[in-house]
């Protein structure tokens, strides 16, 4: 737990970001968890996943935009990505995931409206090419604004996906509200950010138990559950609950990260389940990668092995 907290604190450090970028050790992890630097790389990865009947949600890496102008580049990047998906015939296989702070949330009092405007442009393009958008969930301080942003977007595009994190104490209430929205696409995950004091469960068992309680609400409700975990126990519980409450493989999906448990991703898909892989691309991978190492230090060991065996 202490190692996790330390690593998550490091995910925000600019000095470490500069130090770490480009080392051989880092490259091993980047290559495993990031599809490449360009949108074309992510589209190619989505095409390869589709060959195994795996769906994708593509994320243009980057967060915490520090200026409104920067958010315009992010929107352009997503629009271009969506057009590429259209050109390659992949829009029924791949959607996009967007971090609200990459499109303006957090930029002072005007940030929320800017995020709504920017996400609306991305959603309009997604609608045009026939795919969907999921709005990622970030640190706890952004949760209330992110939920308001999603509600605004859903008024026009009801298919906009939202993420709920079981480590937050508030999440069971949020899940209950969303589970009542017919067809609402809800990604349930444990949560990857440094929890803020008092607002989050910190013990693994508490987080897992909260995940199961929210999962049950989603499976018994009328939303569309997207079960985002690599945890075999939780995957089994999701499968059991779906069966118990009469959901077929079309009525929910499993989600995992690019590079994490690829054999399990293919195994579930081969059973006929809907499995979506979160595919990040871009050069701004530092924060994303530190979160991957924080949740599973074995990912750092993996990188070390790669260097030693080269
Ligand atoms: P953990 O408790 O981390 O791991 C449980 C077990 O799973 C491990 O013991 C191991 O057996 C197995 N496992 C875990 N990782 C790996 C791996 N890399 N390789 C092999 N086995 C592994 N978090 C957010 O805060 N906001 C988001 O918007 C968000 N979006 C996500 C989208 C997707 C599709 C996924 C899969 C995760 C997302 N997350 C997000 C991250 C999430 O919150 C967790 O931090 C992350 O998924 C790790 O938790 P876990 O449920 O896999 O279980």
């Amino acid at each position: 737990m202490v190692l996790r907290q330390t690593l998550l604190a490091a995910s925000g450090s600019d000095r470490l970001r500069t130090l770490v970028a480009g080392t051989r050790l880092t490259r091993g992890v980047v290559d495993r968890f990031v599809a490449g630097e360009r949108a074309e790389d992510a589209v190619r990865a989505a095409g390869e996943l589709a060959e195994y009947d795996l769906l994708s949600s593509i994320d243009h890496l980057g967060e915490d935009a520090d200026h409104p102008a920067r958010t315009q580049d992010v929107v352009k990047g997503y629009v271009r990505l969506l057009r590429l998906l259209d050109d390659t015939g992949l829009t029924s296989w791949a959607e996009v995931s967007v971090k609200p702070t990459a499109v303006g949330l957090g930029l002072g009092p005007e940030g929320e409206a800017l995020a709504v405007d920017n996400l609306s442009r991305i959603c309009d393009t997604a609608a045009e090419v026939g795919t969907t958008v999921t709005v990622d969930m970030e640190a706890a301080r952004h949760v209330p604004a992110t939920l308001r942003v999603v509600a605004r977007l859903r008024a026009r595009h009801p298919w906009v996906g939202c993420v709920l994190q079981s480590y937050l104490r508030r999440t069971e209430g949020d899940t209950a509200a969303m589970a009542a929205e017919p067809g609402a696409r809800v990604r349930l995950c444990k949560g990857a950010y440094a929890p803020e004091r008092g607002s989050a469960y910190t013990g693994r068992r508490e987080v897992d138990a909260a995940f199961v309680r929210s999962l049950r609400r989603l499976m018994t409700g009328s939303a569309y559950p997207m079960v985002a975990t690599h945890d075999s126990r939780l995957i089994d519980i999701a499968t059991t609950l779906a069966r118990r409450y009469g959901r077929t493989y079309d009525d929910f999906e499993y989600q995992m990260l690019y590079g994490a448990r690829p054999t399990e991703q293919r195994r579930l898909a081969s059973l006929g389940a809907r499995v979506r892989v979160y595919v990040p691309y871009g050069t701004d991978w530092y924060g994303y990668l530190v979160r991957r190492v924080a949740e599973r230090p074995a990912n750092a060991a993996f990188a070390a092995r790669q260097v030693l065996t080269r």
Side-chain angles (χ1 to χ4, degrees):
M1 184 53 68
V2 174
L3 175 63
R4 181 165 190 269
Q5 301 295 347
T6 310
L7 285 166
L8 288 175
S11 72
S13 156
D14 286 340
R15 230 163 58 117
L16 268 179
R17 182 186 299 257
T18 314
L19 198 71
V20 161
T23 65
R24 286 172 72 205
L25 183 72
T26 314
R27 267 313 345 148
V29 191
V30 175
D31 292 346
R32 176 171 171 186
F33 290 107
V34 177
E37 295 198 343
R38 300 165 321 135
E40 284 79 358
D41 298 323
V43 171
R44 180 190 30 76
E48 288 167 4
L49 291 165
E51 285 174 27
Y52 292 96
D53 286 334
L54 293 165
L55 303 160
S56 310
S57 189
I58 303 180
D59 165 46
H60 179 109
L61 286 166
E63 48 203 81
D64 292 326
D66 53 5
H67 193 277
R70 177 71 197 105
T71 69
Q72 300 313 303
D73 297 338
V74 176
V75 174
K76 279 187 204 142
Y78 273 104
V79 167
R80 180 165 177 275
L81 169 65
L82 285 161
R83 301 246 176 258
L84 271 176
L85 288 174
D86 193 26
D87 293 345
T88 45
L90 282 169
T91 48
S92 53
W93 289 96
E95 65 146 22
V96 298
S97 281
V98 185
K99 293 214 173 348
T101 64
V103 288
L105 199 77
L107 280 179
E110 312 298 321
E112 190 171 328
L114 179 64
V116 170
D117 273 2
N118 284 334
L119 276 160
S120 297
R121 283 164 56 201
I122 296 170
C123 289
D124 288 346
T125 310
E128 230 177 86
V129 303
T131 188
T132 51
V133 177
T134 296
V135 179
D136 284 346
M137 194 60 84
E138 302 174 85
R141 65 183 179 284
H142 296 306
V143 171
T146 302
L147 293 174
R148 288 193 298 271
V149 167
V150 169
R152 293 270 304 274
L153 297 169
R154 279 185 176 166
R156 186 174 157 87
H157 299 295
W159 42 255
V160 171
C162 185
V163 181
L164 297 176
Q165 302 154 314
S166 75
Y167 69 1
L168 292 186
R169 293 178 190 276
R170 60 168 292 157
T171 285
E172 278 177 76
D174 293 333
T175 312
M178 274 198 199
E181 280 185 46
R185 298 172 61 250
V186 182
R187 176 195 297 159
L188 178 65
C189 64
K190 290 186 188 178
Y193 293 79
E196 284 158 33
R197 190 171 300 176
S199 66
Y201 301 113
T202 49
R204 172 177 282 268
R205 287 167 74 135
E206 281 181 311
V207 175
D208 288 4
F211 189 102
V212 175
R213 291 194 297 273
S214 285
L215 185 59
R216 188 186 298 274
R217 277 198 187 274
L218 288 175
M219 289 291 184
T220 53
S222 40
Y224 175 75
M226 305 190 284
V227 186
T229 183
H230 312 98
D231 191 327
S232 296
R233 199 177 135 262
L234 295 180
I235 292 170
D236 288 348
I237 292 173
T239 310
T240 305
L241 289 176
R243 280 205 200 109
R244 182 177 304 162
Y245 297 115
R247 286 184 182 264
T248 68
Y249 275 146
D250 286 335
D251 298 329
F252 73 105
E253 68 188 44
Y254 303 97
Q255 296 194 342
M256 294 189 210
L257 301 176
Y258 184 77
R261 304 201 69 192
T263 312
E264 177 66 359
Q265 295 170 11
R266 290 178 196 176
R267 185 190 71 81
L268 288 167
S270 73
L271 299 175
R274 285 170 68 84
V275 183
R276 192 177 297 278
V277 180
Y278 186 98
V279 179
Y281 79 94
T283 50
D284 197 357
W285 40 256
Y286 176 78
Y288 180 84
L289 254 107
V290 172
R291 290 195 292 277
R292 300 296 73 82
V293 172
E295 65 208 9
R296 193 163 184 265
N299 288 334
F302 161 85
R305 264 199 317 279
Q306 288 242 315
V307 171
L308 293 173
T309 53
R310 244 173 222 171

